[in-house]
Amino acid sequence: MDDPKKILILSGTPASGKDTLTAMLEKMSCGKYVLFKKHKMVTNIIDAVQDPRNMAYHLVDEATFHQMIVEKQFLQYHSRYGNGYGIAWGTLEKHWQAEQVPVLHNGKQENLPVFFREKNIWAFSVLLIANQGDTKDRILTRNGGDETDAEKRLRAYGAEREELAVIIENGESPYCHLAINTDWLEPPMTASIIYSATEEFWTARKS
């Protein structure tokens, strides 16, 4: 078997701490763990590049995004907030060739099964949980008080919490190896727990 390709997935509702934790993990690992930039489909790239939040994405127009789907350039793709998001094989390969562990940010559990079906990918999945009140405060702080944007993301929060509730109610298990309530732990401690658990996971898989 070829050397396994490693991926760390941070799943969680909007503003649950994925960006903060990824930055801490990158520093903690001396650059081994790095943010994975998804391809994001936008209607107007010129306007989209003005939003600093889009710096974390490879922006493409609708035609390019759909062509990438046709050409099977995505390991996984989905729609969120009215935009398309894709995990490109080419971007993953660049990280793996550099011996890095790409850190993927995810919302809904339905996006995750494909990562566990790929035999040559070792995915470690972490579920971050946060309460609604703190989530709204973080969103408003991050988006400059944009109530319209906050309401859109809070609707996503509700949908994702409902998805988890249905999974648990049906007696199923979420696609995660580790779940952390970020209301109870400060980010440095959370990052340390994730880093330790992930490194132990890679070691155990090799043995």
Side-chain angles (χ1 to χ4, degrees):
M1 181 177 94
D2 294 335
D3 290 338
K5 313 302 185 182
K6 300 174 182 177
I7 294 176
L8 170 59
I9 305 172
L10 299 184
S11 294
T13 48
S16 56
K18 297 185 288 290
D19 290 328
T20 299
L21 293 170
T22 300
M24 290 183 172
L25 287 166
E26 182 169 356
K27 184 176 181 180
M28 194 176 293
S29 67
C30 298
K32 177 183 175 181
Y33 289 70
V34 294
L35 173 66
F36 179 87
K37 289 191 174 186
K38 299 177 186 176
H39 279 68
K40 179 179 179 179
M41 182 186 75
V42 296
T43 55
N44 189 318
I45 292 180
I46 294 176
D47 288 343
V49 296
Q50 306 303 316
D51 187 338
R53 290 172 293 183
N54 283 328
M55 292 178 63
Y57 300 100
H58 297 295
L59 301 178
V60 295
D61 59 26
E62 186 174 356
T64 300
F65 191 85
H66 287 297
Q67 185 62 32
M68 292 179 74
I69 294 175
V70 171
E71 295 175 355
K72 301 186 185 302
Q73 293 188 42
F74 292 133
L75 167 59
Q76 191 276 336
Y77 62 90
H78 58 276
S79 179
R80 185 171 168 85
Y81 306 132
N83 299 306
Y85 296 88
I87 311 296
W89 280 109
T91 310
L92 286 170
E93 288 292 349
K94 288 179 181 178
H95 287 304
W96 292 330
Q97 288 172 8
E99 298 185 349
Q100 296 173 329
V101 178
V103 182
L104 277 59
H105 294 179
N106 177 66
K108 303 192 74 173
Q109 288 282 303
E110 66 185 24
N111 300 328
L112 296 180
V114 64
F115 297 100
F116 293 86
R117 290 198 295 263
E118 290 289 332
K119 294 182 179 179
N120 201 36
I121 291 179
W122 288 0
F124 188 83
S125 181
V126 179
L127 176 62
L128 304 172
I129 300 170
N131 71 64
Q132 189 173 36
D134 288 345
T135 295
K136 183 174 182 179
D137 290 341
R138 291 193 203 109
I139 291 172
L140 289 172
T141 298
R142 189 172 65 184
N143 69 9
D146 185 340
E147 289 280 357
T148 301
D149 177 75
E151 288 305 315
K152 179 173 64 174
R153 295 178 188 277
L154 285 173
R155 284 196 296 272
Y157 174 97
E160 290 164 24
R161 290 297 290 261
E162 184 176 343
E163 180 195 33
L164 276 174
V166 170
I167 289 171
I168 295 169
E169 186 176 315
N170 289 340
E172 301 169 2
S173 298
Y175 284 93
C176 70
H177 300 92
L178 175 67
I180 299 178
N181 187 330
T182 59
D183 298 329
W184 294 350
L185 294 172
E186 292 297 321
M189 177 61 75
T190 302
S192 180
I193 291 170
I194 293 172
Y195 183 70
S196 296
T198 306
E199 288 297 309
E200 288 182 18
F201 177 76
W202 307 140
T203 301
R205 287 293 300 263
K206 289 178 182 178
S207 61

